[in-house]
Amino acid sequence: MTEHSEKQWIESAAAKPRNIFSEEIVAVIIFIIIALLPIFITGYPIYILPQYMLFGVLAMSLALLWGFVGILSFGQAAFFAVGAYTMGLAMQTNFGVNSGYIGILISPLVGGALAAITGYFLFNAGVKATYFVLVTLALSIMIEQIAVSQSDITGGWNGMYIDRMPLTFGSLGEISLYNDIPVYYAILPVVIAMYAFVRWFATSRFGKILIGIRENEDRMTALGFNISAYKTGAFALSGAIACLAGALYGAHANFVAPSLGGVLFSTEVVVWVAIAGRSSLLAALLGGIIVASLSNYLSTVTPDYWQLVLGIIFILVIVFLKGGVAGAISDLSKHLQSKVKQ
Amino acid sequence: MSSLLRTEGLTKRFAGLIANEAINFELDTSSIRCVIGPNGAGKTTFISMISGHLQPNEGRIYYKDQDITKLNVVKRARIGIARKFQTPTVFDELTVYDNIELAVLGTDCPYNDRNKNINEVLELVHLTNESDKPVKFLSHGQRQWLEIGLLLAVKAELLLLDEPTAGMTVEETESTARLIKNLTQEFQLSMIIIEHDINFIRDLNAPVTVLHLGRVLMEGSFEQVSANEKVREIYLGHGNS
């Protein structure tokens, strides 16, 4: 078996260019399609799509953690909600400059700091993966409860209204984002930039070390890498990205409620990433967009059974496609390439 | 006081079982020491205390005349003590090149020199031709070399090798002995090597420490050790070798 797969590997390595379906090319094509969508579609889909793109970024923040470092977090929604609340509070405050910009600047710092503090104590204590999952689960519950109980600040169960920020350019004027099209084209570039940044990060020195930690923690320790510091760094970055996505989400949805940070939504994020494939950032991004859209669609078509349908898809993917849909596609393309070579 | 590594009365007990007892050990710079002994003699326990994977119950460890007894694995790796585990511990899913690269990333090697450093290490451990291969496709012997390569790539000065030739063919074992001698002579590295392969130890022609029931039974050259009646009795077997 090994010999066979080795032969396959040698053949696929010999085939240059290495892989026509390299992630960057696929990403460019998909972003162009998303950018052109408003020409062909109007109405509700174009209104809601930016929110799903931000769900995609949230999923990507989990893939960075789960796929690259091998740490599963059930607390990503907590950071997303914290971002939305941060944006809401920023919009209520007069900073003398565009409050939306302040919200966008502060939210990743808040998310990063929250994750860094949590991660610092957990990873330095040598907490194992399973316990980390439980603590992040608790984090989700805590954030939801705080959002409920601190109703003076957060509006409690009623949630918080968030005014949609305009794009201001100093003395050059400003663009209102109240309409669907301008806000669509305001959020899309940010999503692309965040994808590009995380993708770059994953191939950086830090990203490579994270992969090393996922592959063999004992070896990395014995080579002199301070594992807990790197894990804390990865968790902080993941929290910062989730929080920034949440801030933009809040601004777009004009509203945030405690349930946005809850366990249920956190679990959904894990489901998106598991279905899409955690080892690919692009897959996670698209998984967030597509599965969230699908959930929305199914909930209107069959309000009683949509969660069941999603659950069945989830189980099927977990059982039959270990690497998620992205893993299956990557295996298939490798298989096809080796076939073509023969 | 010019020794690279020195242990004083190193003792490790596991729930009443004495794994190492009052081990006094000294190793000079750019030298090799083989540690032999029957199963359960405490060889791996000894190495684990030097690498920091185990804390001794009693005794002290000095590296370059600094007391390192309380330092953890990461800090000891950072000052140049690196360990090859009994079962090769490498990054199976990554390529040979990426494996070495990870080790180089642990040094302060500037970005532009990384590729050069990686290739130098690959050359040393005879893996240049396998550079793009995922490690899971390597032979057992190549995996052992790769792990030694990782220790070279982090610029370790004291290499702790736990059974480096396990699973190797006769040719590979001989080649490993040459590699190790070359590394100590050319790069002034020092090694503590746990081995069972008598031919390999003879090839290395280095001083040998014999452990038995957690204690140092004797130290000496390969000839002295292999001629010793007591050692033959407990380890080599009567009239053998």
Side-chain angles (χ1 to χ4, degrees), chain B residues 179-235:
Chain B
L179 168 69
I180 284 170
K181 279 193 275 191
N182 179 25
L183 291 174
T184 48
Q185 284 154 16
E186 209 168 308
F187 298 94
Q188 279 74 53
L189 301 183
S190 306
M191 320 233 180
I192 300 175
I193 302 172
I194 294 181
E195 254 304 335
H196 287 298
D197 188 329
I198 291 304
N199 294 323
F200 176 70
I201 296 166
R202 186 187 290 129
D203 280 355
L204 286 178
N205 194 25
V208 178
T209 296
V210 186
L211 290 187
H212 181 49
L213 300 175
R215 295 177 201 204
V216 177
L217 186 74
M218 76 168 292
E219 279 178 349
S221 68
F222 178 77
E223 282 74 23
Q224 287 169 332
V225 168
S226 56
N228 184 290
E229 268 308 313
K230 194 100 202 282
V231 174
R232 293 169 74 96
E233 203 175 295
I234 62 131
Y235 186 68

Side-chain angles (χ1 to χ4, degrees), chain B:
Chain B
M1 281 304 210
S2 66
S3 60
L4 181 71
L5 181 86
R6 190 158 49 85
T7 74
E8 281 176 6
L10 216 51
T11 299
K12 182 70 190 175
R13 289 182 290 264
F14 295 112
L17 177 86
I18 297 168
N20 272 191
E21 192 175 13
I23 294 188
N24 297 314
F25 181 95
E26 212 165 338
L27 182 76
D28 289 332
T29 305
S30 155
S31 66
I32 303 172
R33 178 74 55 87
C34 292
V35 177
I36 66 169
N39 287 331
K43 305 181 294 289
T44 299
T45 302
F46 177 62
I47 276 205
S48 296
M49 284 195 284
I50 295 172
S51 69
H53 286 89
L54 286 177
Q55 267 294 315
N57 295 104
E58 284 158 38
R60 309 223 68 85
I61 305 166
Y62 298 91
Y63 177 71
K64 296 181 178 173
D65 291 329
Q66 299 248 311
D67 187 344
I68 61 161
T69 318
K70 295 286 169 213
L71 296 190
N72 63 20
V73 177
V74 171
K75 287 190 178 127
R76 290 194 205 189
R78 291 229 158 253
I79 56 171
I81 302 176
R83 173 179 187 179
K84 197 206 82 63
F85 294 91
Q86 199 166 349
T87 39
T89 302
V90 289
F91 307 99
D92 283 334
E93 299 296 323
L94 307 181
T95 65
V96 170
Y97 185 93
D98 289 346
N99 264 260
I100 302 292
E101 184 184 31
L102 273 173
V104 170
L105 292 178
T107 65
D108 49 12
C109 169
Y111 181 82
N112 291 328
D113 294 342
R114 272 187 214 161
N115 190 42
K116 188 171 73 85
N117 283 9
I118 295 166
N119 286 324
E120 277 170 9
V121 170
L122 289 174
E123 187 86 44
L124 275 173
V125 293
H126 314 297
L127 288 172
T128 305
N129 292 334
E130 326 293 330
S131 147
D132 291 333
K133 252 192 199 182
V135 168
K136 57 185 170 188
F137 297 133
L138 294 187
S139 74
H140 201 77
Q142 286 174 320
R143 293 159 65 90
Q144 300 272 33
W145 280 338
L146 177 64
E147 196 172 6
I148 294 174
L150 292 178
L151 310 189
L152 300 179
V154 283
K155 304 257 180 264
E157 292 171 68
L158 172 60
L159 278 62
L160 311 170
L161 307 181
D162 201 342
E163 301 196 14
T165 69
M168 282 190 180
T169 63
V170 175
E171 291 79 35
E172 284 175 332
T173 303
E174 284 168 0
S175 165
T176 305
R178 279 197 300 278
L179 168 69
I180 284 170
K181 279 193 275 191
N182 179 25
L183 291 174
T184 48
Q185 284 154 16
E186 209 168 308
F187 298 94
Q188 279 74 53
L189 301 183
S190 306
M191 320 233 180
I192 300 175
I193 302 172
I194 294 181
E195 254 304 335
H196 287 298
D197 188 329
I198 291 304
N199 294 323
F200 176 70
I201 296 166
R202 186 187 290 129
D203 280 355
L204 286 178
N205 194 25
V208 178
T209 296
V210 186
L211 290 187
H212 181 49
L213 300 175
R215 295 177 201 204
V216 177
L217 186 74
M218 76 168 292
E219 279 178 349
S221 68
F222 178 77
E223 282 74 23
Q224 287 169 332
V225 168
S226 56
N228 184 290
E229 268 308 313
K230 194 100 202 282
V231 174
R232 293 169 74 96
E233 203 175 295
I234 62 131
Y235 186 68
L236 300 170
H238 289 283
N240 201 348
S241 167

Side-chain angles (χ1 to χ4, degrees), chain A residues 2 5-6 9-10 204-206 208-227 230, chain B residues 53 73-74 77-78 83-85 89-91 93-94 101-103 105-107 114 132-134 136-137 147 150-151 154:
Chain A
T2 336
S5 47
E6 184 176 8
W9 170 81
I10 290 168
S204 71
R205 175 178 180 273
F206 201 107
K208 284 175 180 171
I209 290 169
L210 293 182
I211 292 173
I213 292 172
R214 179 192 70 199
E215 289 299 317
N216 199 330
E217 227 172 272
D218 291 342
R219 187 18 96 202
M220 289 303 273
T221 305
L223 286 175
F225 290 98
N226 186 350
I227 305 292
Y230 283 99
Chain B
H53 286 89
V73 177
V74 171
R78 291 229 158 253
R83 173 179 187 179
K84 197 206 82 63
F85 294 91
T89 302
V90 289
F91 307 99
E93 299 296 323
L94 307 181
E101 184 184 31
L102 273 173
L105 292 178
T107 65
R114 272 187 214 161
D132 291 333
K133 252 192 199 182
K136 57 185 170 188
F137 297 133
E147 196 172 6
L150 292 178
L151 310 189
V154 283

Side-chain angles (χ1 to χ4, degrees), chain A residues 28-44:
Chain A
V28 169
I29 295 170
I30 284 168
F31 286 133
I32 290 174
I33 293 172
I34 296 178
L36 295 178
L37 273 183
I39 300 174
F40 308 104
I41 308 169
T42 52
Y44 181 73

